[in-house]
Amino acid sequence: MTDTAPTLFRTFVGKVLVTRDAAHMAHWKAQGEGSYARHVALDEFYTAILSQIDAIVEVYQGRFGIVGDILFPARPTGDIANHISAECDWIAEQRNAICGGNAAIGNLLDELCGIYMRSLYKLRNLK
């Protein structure tokens, strides 16, 4: 299969999927004070971003063609909230390049960032 999407888009999809998996692992490891709130917040996060990235890829492919091979970074280490925050910042910084100037894809990216930020609120403030 030939990769038809720009490297940045394929990297973006890989980063979201790796973040989703890291959140799932952290969800299973939640323990101690505030662990139930963390457990639930991470469950909501990894469930929501899977649906959202699916929508983004499908809309992207409807506009630009089949994406091709996804580029996966290494699994993150350290605190999952810090990783989610950094990924949200990266997506926001790369938004225009990722969406290829398409408003519908840009809107879906904004919704994805909203999921990240809502989860950060819950992880950092709810106990």
Side-chain angles (χ1 to χ4, degrees):
M1 172 184 282
T2 302
D3 292 329
T4 57
T7 300
L8 180 64
F9 188 82
R10 293 181 292 122
T11 298
F12 154 71
V13 173
K15 287 170 82 65
V16 172
L17 293 175
V18 167
T19 297
R20 182 252 176 249
D21 287 346
H24 204 157
M25 298 299 120
H27 159 84
W28 286 335
K29 293 179 182 179
Q31 58 183 339
E33 183 182 347
S35 63
Y36 182 73
R38 182 176 181 82
H39 183 79
V40 171
L42 289 168
D43 177 73
E44 291 172 358
F45 175 74
Y46 72 73
T47 300
I49 65 169
L50 190 56
S51 297
Q52 192 66 22
I53 193 64
D54 190 59
I56 292 167
V57 171
E58 289 176 353
V59 171
Y60 186 95
Q61 290 185 145
R63 175 64 181 98
F64 298 112
I66 299 300
V67 170
D69 294 335
I70 301 303
L71 305 173
F72 293 98
R75 180 179 293 160
T77 58
D79 181 62
I80 190 64
N82 291 339
H83 177 74
I84 290 170
S85 179
E87 289 298 300
C88 184
D89 291 345
W90 183 86
I91 293 167
E93 291 167 6
Q94 302 298 321
R95 180 191 182 277
N96 292 334
I98 292 169
C99 74
N102 184 279
I105 298 167
N107 289 338
L108 291 170
L109 290 171
D110 293 342
E111 290 175 21
L112 179 68
C113 284
I115 293 167
Y116 277 62
M117 289 183 275
R118 185 171 55 246
S119 296
L120 285 169
Y121 158 73
K122 291 176 181 181
L123 288 169
R124 292 177 173 161
N125 297 288
L126 303 181
K127 301 290 180 203

